[in-house]
Amino acid sequence: MTNLLTSAPRGTKDILPAASAQWQKLEKTIRQLCSRFGYQEIRTPVFEHTELFIRGIGETTDVVEKEMYTFTDRGERSLTLRPENTASVVRAYLENKLYGEAEQPTKLFYMGPMFRYDRPQAGRYRQFHQFGVEVLGAAAPTVDAEAIALAIQLFQGLGLTELTLFINSVGCPTCRPAYREQLQNYLRPQLDSLCPDCKSRFDRNPMRILDCKSEACRQASQGAPQMLDCLCEECHDHFAGLKALLDAAEIPYSINTNLVRGLDYYTKTAFEIQYAPLGAQSAVCGGGRYDGLVAQCGGPDTPGIGFAVGLERLLLALEKQELLPAATRCSDVFIAPLGKEQTPMAFALLLQLRKEGLTADMDFLGRSLKAQLKQANRQKARFALLLGEEEQANQQVLLKDLETSEQSLVNAQEAINAIKEEMGE
Ligand code: AMP
């Protein structure tokens, strides 16, 4: 039986110090890239009113139907841990009237934990992290292309190869209804062979049948009419515009006509970036245009586009390509008091070194000098400051260069200056 006190809940993971260094590096890369692209960070609450997700993600989606962590709080409100961040960003955009800001379009990015009651497996968790962007207030394909280029630059900049960008257009409320009907007419004779989920999607959201992974549904939808052949002029031009922009930027892509969402507020561009070596969970980034979402949430008619990258999957991909350097701790200086009596002076010196901007550490376990120097080595300390009775009496320290083994007796300030000089401070 699982010991509840010593096991994290199913589908969640601790990010331990060795891994957190890699997370921080990745997060830093993302922030720098977003800043270069002119996207600003937004942080929204981890939980929202359940209604927001029902409206913003769609009642008929798997996420809303099966995967939400919904609870009633002590004030009898129905709240839900966010399963994704687009709906929250749209809510924040409306609540804070970001559409009234001088700089438009509104280009935002976010990073943080999301929660879905999913079946946990490699690359699929119940608490996972997404980095994503949302651009609100621009309808042109240039913003679609810019968002895609940002994701591609992130992955390529990290060194990932074997990436495939899939793009499609899911049309809009003008051209989609006729297409839906064509698709339903095509699938109707095979309705009995569809999986139970797709049977119920047939009326509500038939386009989703196209991306169902079950073999029966794949067979049934083979040769089905394609949205790309049924686009209205505006959607057709938008898709042509996107392709021309990707071509100009030399970003290779494949058209995947089965990449769909199918809800009314998803429009035009849909895209996904896959990293094939991850196998079943190969999607590292998914996104698309949602020109109807802001209005769906009660706001003014506002076009929008965004994507989300799964950070755990991205780290798995980097690990697969051996692009994650082992985290090593490096300190500038290690202070080794020889006895208990020297500890207060060593401690004061430790804090002084840190105030001066140096990475400094000392022994906290009352170790012997030999063991302390071993510890300094483990930390890859560049210098050690040895503090014995005599040094203490003379207000001095023995500064030892751990690379050259040179040592000299100096006072505290001289030691700090020498270390700072060497460490290029
Ligand atoms: P979605 O919001 O479903 O379009 O997902 C966007 C990205 O988030 C996917 O491409 C994955 O990389 C990641 N993702 C989605 N669900 C999970 C999950 N349960 N565990 C880990 N990553 C996920």
Side-chain angles (χ1 to χ4, degrees):
M1 217 175 71
T2 324
N3 183 337
L4 299 182
L5 300 185
T6 54
S7 328
R10 195 164 135 75
T12 70
K13 271 207 303 204
D14 299 307
I15 298 172
L16 297 173
S20 67
Q22 294 162 347
W23 279 82
Q24 284 169 15
K25 203 167 159 242
L26 179 59
E27 287 160 4
K28 192 170 162 199
T29 305
I30 290 172
R31 285 175 203 287
Q32 283 170 344
L33 189 66
C34 286
S35 149
R36 265 189 265 149
F37 272 71
Y39 289 74
Q40 290 182 305
E41 184 174 7
I42 182 163
R43 301 186 191 197
T44 61
V46 160
F47 56 84
E48 298 272 0
H49 296 294
T50 303
E51 187 59 26
L52 175 69
F53 298 121
I54 295 179
R55 283 283 204 100
I57 304 175
E59 232 163 335
T60 62
T61 56
D62 285 352
V63 168
V64 170
E65 275 184 345
K66 305 179 198 164
E67 296 172 4
M68 295 213 300
Y69 277 94
T70 297
F71 60 97
T72 308
D73 78 358
R74 288 168 197 271
E76 299 297 315
R77 299 170 194 90
S78 178
L79 300 171
T80 295
L81 298 183
R82 60 181 185 193
E84 51 104 79
N85 213 14
T86 305
S88 312
V89 170
V90 166
R91 198 261 315 129
Y93 174 81
L94 290 174
E95 184 167 351
N96 300 287
K97 301 192 173 51
L98 298 185
Y99 46 82
E101 304 255 305
E103 207 175 318
Q104 293 299 331
T106 306
K107 290 167 59 168
L108 304 167
F109 82 90
Y110 60 81
M111 247 188 292
M114 309 294 155
F115 308 85
R116 293 184 197 176
Y117 192 83
D118 224 340
R119 195 169 59 81
Q121 52 192 290
R124 188 170 284 284
Y125 315 99
R126 290 185 172 167
Q127 175 173 338
F128 60 100
H129 296 76
Q130 282 185 338
F131 148 62
V133 310
E134 313 291 349
V135 184
L136 291 142
T142 24
V143 282
D144 309 32
E146 189 195 44
I148 292 174
L150 191 158
I152 296 284
Q153 262 196 34
L154 170 66
F155 298 144
Q156 285 180 345
L158 291 165
L160 284 183
T161 52
E162 298 187 64
L163 294 165
T164 316
L165 163 66
F166 292 102
I167 60 168
N168 192 24
S169 174
V170 296
C172 72
T174 305
C175 48
R176 205 162 33 215
Y179 169 70
R180 269 174 69 136
E181 217 176 297
Q182 271 191 45
L183 182 64
Q184 282 172 324
N185 290 342
Y186 182 88
L187 291 171
R188 192 167 289 109
Q190 308 171 75
L191 193 53
D192 284 343
S193 71
L194 299 180
C195 76
D197 277 346
C198 284
K199 272 189 193 132
S200 78
R201 283 172 185 147
F202 182 80
D203 285 317
R204 299 182 299 162
N205 189 358
M207 284 171 76
R208 276 293 315 279
I209 299 172
L210 296 174
D211 82 344
C212 178
K213 304 285 175 283
S214 102
E215 192 47 41
C217 301
R218 271 153 80 139
Q219 288 216 347
S221 60
Q222 255 189 18
Q226 296 180 355
M227 184 71 237
L228 283 187
D229 297 326
C230 306
L231 296 179
C232 62
E233 198 181 334
E234 191 187 311
C235 288
H236 176 270
D237 289 353
H238 188 94
F239 196 56
L242 173 65
K243 287 189 293 183
L245 289 158
L246 294 176
D247 290 339
E250 295 181 21
I251 297 174
Y253 55 84
S254 292
I255 292 175
N256 177 357
T257 52
N258 289 341
L259 194 62
V260 292
R261 291 179 172 218
L263 294 173
D264 277 353
Y265 37 88
Y266 291 113
T267 52
K268 299 177 178 152
T269 311
F271 68 95
E272 190 165 279
I273 300 173
Q274 289 193 7
Y275 179 74
L278 286 184
Q281 312 302 329
S282 61
V284 285
C285 172
R289 191 162 263 290
Y290 47 80
D291 290 349
L293 180 57
V294 178
Q296 170 81 14
C297 294
D301 219 358
T302 311
I305 176 152
F307 68 69
V309 170
L311 294 184
E312 280 82 359
R313 283 194 204 169
L314 179 51
L315 285 164
L316 279 175
L318 292 171
E319 198 179 296
K320 270 223 177 316
Q321 267 191 240
E322 293 177 11
L323 292 166
L324 285 181
T328 46
R329 190 176 160 201
C330 296
S331 58
D332 300 328
V333 49
F334 191 92
I335 307 173
L338 267 56
K340 262 201 197 113
E341 299 72 25
Q342 285 81 45
T343 301
M345 182 177 162
F347 183 66
L349 188 54
L350 173 72
L351 296 185
Q352 197 187 341
L353 286 161
R354 290 173 174 168
K355 254 191 213 155
E356 299 265 353
L358 292 164
T359 306
D361 208 352
M362 71 181 270
D363 173 53
F364 291 99
L365 297 175
R367 279 181 268 222
S368 70
L369 177 63
K370 200 172 146 203
Q372 290 194 58
L373 289 175
K374 252 194 181 162
Q375 177 66 7
N377 260 328
R378 262 197 296 270
Q379 286 185 13
K380 301 205 167 41
R382 182 68 172 72
F383 292 93
L385 288 179
L386 277 51
L387 198 54
E389 242 172 79
E390 218 178 298
E391 285 85 7
Q392 186 177 23
N394 299 329
Q395 286 293 301
Q396 284 187 314
V397 286
L398 186 66
L399 171 67
K400 185 169 172 155
D401 184 323
L402 294 174
E403 241 171 62
T404 62
S405 294
E406 274 172 39
Q407 49 188 45
S408 51
L409 264 179
V410 289
N411 69 32
Q413 196 53 52
E414 286 166 339
I416 291 171
N417 293 345
I419 298 168
K420 275 176 123 175
E421 192 171 323
E422 185 62 33
M423 304 315 290
E425 281 276 329

